[in-house]
């Protein structure tokens, strides 16, 4: 059977449309998988707001204890729990020991726990707070000028972004959360941790 020949004017748009369609289907499948892994199945997780669609997180730069910088790209291939806090924020202060313990709990699960202070005094304020409160697992990170917080749409403290290994924000916590619960650790492992074979 002979098929009619298509002119390049028709063939190119059809090929482009097919390509876009395939990419869309792949993305939807991956997004659905993320959403399935991150489904909220416990009432104690009510503070977690699942993203309708996982979204790429803009690149940010954070100041370390030695005044050098890190970026989210440095954690490529890892899930990231990215918490914004301040020493003057009472709910933030309450969460810090829990986040410190969570970092230790999740260290073998391919998940990084990063806490970023928005204190204007920067690293010295964080260093003093960590020493006074025996915070030993978390790395002092500062966003003293609020540039990272603005880029990520942080409107209040504490706010935590839950980012998968592909750099997509899959959920967000606005306000206080119980990071010490077994349900919380299990959720993070399932949602953004290394998949167990």
């Amino acid at each position: 059977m002979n098929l009619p020949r298509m002119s390049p004017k028709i063939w190119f748009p059809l090929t482009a449309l097919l390509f876009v369609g395939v990419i869309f289907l792949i993305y939807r499948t991956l997004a659905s998988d993320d959403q399935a892994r991150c489904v909220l199945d416990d009432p104690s997780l009510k503070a977690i707001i699942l993203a309708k669609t996982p979204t790429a997180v803009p690149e940010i730069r954070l100041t370390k204890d030695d005044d050098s910088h890190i970026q989210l790209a440095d954690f490529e291939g890892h899930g990231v729990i990215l918490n914004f806090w301040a020493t003057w924020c009472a709910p933030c202060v309450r969460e810090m020991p829990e986040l410190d313990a969570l970092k230790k709990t999740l260290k073998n699960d391919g998940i990084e726990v990063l806490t970023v202070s928005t204190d204007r005094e920067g690293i010295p304020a964080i260093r003093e707070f960590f020493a006074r409160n025996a915070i030993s697992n978390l790395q002092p990170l500062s966003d003293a000028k609020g540039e990272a917080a603005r880029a990520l749409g942080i409107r209040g403290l504490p706010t935590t972004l839950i980012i998968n290994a592909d750099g997509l924000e899959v959920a967000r916590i606005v306000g206080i959360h119980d990071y010490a619960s077994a349900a919380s650790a299990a959720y993070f492992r399932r949602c953004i941790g290394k998949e167990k074979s």
Side-chain angles (χ1 to χ4, degrees):
M1 183 171 85
N2 291 333
L3 295 174
R5 296 184 94 187
M6 280 193 270
S7 77
K9 287 181 180 180
I10 296 173
W11 179 82
F12 180 74
L14 284 176
T15 304
L17 187 62
L18 179 64
F19 178 75
V20 169
V22 169
I23 294 298
F24 176 75
L25 288 174
I26 291 170
Y27 178 77
R28 287 292 300 255
T29 301
L30 292 174
S32 299
D33 184 49
D34 282 330
Q35 288 169 314
R37 290 178 71 190
C38 297
V39 70
L40 301 165
D41 57 358
D42 189 297
S44 69
L45 304 174
K46 63 181 184 251
I48 300 173
I49 304 161
L50 194 59
K52 289 179 184 170
T53 304
T55 5
V57 178
E59 193 51 71
I60 57 168
R61 205 167 82 132
L62 305 168
T63 304
K64 292 169 57 176
D65 194 23
D66 60 2
D67 285 330
S68 65
H69 295 91
I70 61 168
Q71 299 179 340
L72 283 180
D74 297 335
F75 302 97
E76 186 178 347
H78 289 80
V80 176
I81 297 168
L82 181 65
N83 172 268
F84 282 79
W85 70 289
T87 59
W88 47 262
C89 163
C92 304
V93 169
R94 199 217 84 178
E95 288 181 338
M96 291 309 290
E98 294 176 7
L99 286 160
D100 190 52
L102 185 66
K103 182 171 176 77
K104 187 174 183 181
T105 299
L106 299 178
K107 70 178 182 180
N108 295 321
D109 292 290
I111 299 173
E112 293 289 338
V113 178
L114 306 176
T115 56
V116 183
S117 167
T118 59
D119 285 272
R120 289 186 181 154
E121 298 81 6
I123 293 295
I126 307 165
R127 201 182 289 133
E128 191 274 330
F129 177 89
F130 279 13
R132 184 166 27 93
N133 292 279
I135 304 295
S136 58
N137 299 303
L138 296 170
Q139 178 180 14
L141 295 172
S142 174
D143 180 34
K145 294 182 180 175
E147 292 169 350
R150 279 191 298 280
L152 298 173
I154 306 297
R155 292 185 174 82
L157 300 176
T159 295
T160 302
L161 277 65
I162 301 169
I163 302 166
N164 70 15
D166 297 319
L168 301 176
E169 180 183 341
V170 292
R172 184 175 286 220
I173 302 169
V174 179
I176 201 155
H177 175 68
D178 181 7
Y179 292 98
S181 73
S184 192
Y187 176 78
F188 292 129
R189 285 189 182 105
R190 174 167 47 87
C191 181
I192 59 171
K194 286 189 288 198
E195 296 214 41
K196 308 292 188 229
S197 51

